[in-house]
Amino acid sequence: MDTAIFGRLALSPNHVLNPISGDKHYFCKGLCHHRGFLMAVSATGSSKGGVLDRPVIEKTTPGRESEFDLRKTRKIAPPYRVILHNDNFNKREYVVQVLMKVIPGMTVDNAVNIMQEAHINGLSVVIICAQADAEDHCMQLRGNGLLSSIEPAGSGC
C-alpha cells in the first residue's frame, strides 16, 4: 500500500486530513472542493519513496455526451423503411409534389420513380433512415393524404 509522508507522519492513501487554518500541507483523497469548482484528485503514490503523482483534473460539460457515446447510439438504432402505398385518390403529380416537400433532398426524378413504382407494384420504398425520422416522414406523408407505413429495414427483400 502506498503511503504519503508529511513531516514525520505517514498516511495511507485512504486517510483524509482537513486543512487547519494556516496549515500549508494537507492531503485530500477523492473529491476535493478547491477554488470554487469540483476536482477529482488521484492520490495514488508512485514507488519513489512517498512522492505523489500529479493530480489529474477531469472537466466535463454537463449534459454533453462524448463523440464515442453518440456513435455507439447511432450504431445501435436499426434503420427503417418508409413505404408509400398506391391509392386511387391522389393524382400522380400531387404525390410527386408531396414526396419532394416531405423528404429532404428528394429530386423530381426520384419522386417520379417512387410514385411510378407504387402505382405499378402497389408500394415503393421512399427512404431508409432512423426510426424517429421514418416515423416523422410517414406522419407527414399521411398528413398530406398519402398512404404510407414504416418497417424495419432488415436483410430481407
Side-chain angles (χ1 to χ4, degrees):
M1 177 182 290
D2 294 331
T3 59
I5 300 176
F6 292 97
R8 294 183 179 171
L9 178 64
L11 300 174
S12 73
N14 295 325
H15 193 84
V16 176
L17 285 177
N18 292 323
I20 302 171
S21 63
D23 185 8
K24 295 180 184 175
H25 304 287
Y26 65 93
F27 178 75
C28 176
K29 179 180 187 315
L31 296 176
C32 299
H33 297 281
H34 185 358
R35 296 186 187 187
F37 65 94
L38 188 63
M39 295 189 311
V41 178
S42 172
T44 58
S46 65
S47 60
K48 298 178 185 176
V51 177
L52 295 177
D53 293 336
R54 182 177 209 157
V56 177
I57 300 172
E58 296 178 14
K59 293 182 181 180
T60 58
T61 306
R64 182 171 176 169
E65 298 176 277
S66 71
E67 290 180 32
F68 176 76
D69 292 338
L70 292 175
R71 274 187 259 131
K72 186 176 177 184
T73 303
R74 286 186 197 135
K75 287 182 181 178
I76 293 173
Y80 275 72
R81 291 184 185 113
V82 177
I83 300 173
L84 175 68
H85 300 270
N86 185 39
D87 63 38
N88 295 322
F89 312 110
N90 295 302
K91 294 189 175 203
R92 294 179 187 187
E93 296 82 10
Y94 177 73
V95 173
V96 170
Q97 287 178 338
V98 171
L99 286 170
M100 290 174 41
K101 180 175 87 172
V102 170
I103 308 299
M106 180 66 68
T107 64
V108 175
D109 291 337
N110 285 342
V112 168
N113 289 338
I114 291 168
M115 175 275 301
Q116 283 286 68
E117 186 177 344
H119 180 72
I120 294 168
N121 299 326
L123 56 88
S124 177
V125 175
V126 176
I127 190 170
I128 298 175
C129 54
Q131 182 178 4
D133 293 334
E135 290 171 352
D136 185 47
H137 295 320
C138 183
M139 293 307 295
Q140 288 181 27
L141 291 171
R142 289 178 181 178
N144 284 284
L146 303 182
L147 299 176
S148 65
S149 63
I150 66 169
E151 69 181 15
S155 59
C157 297

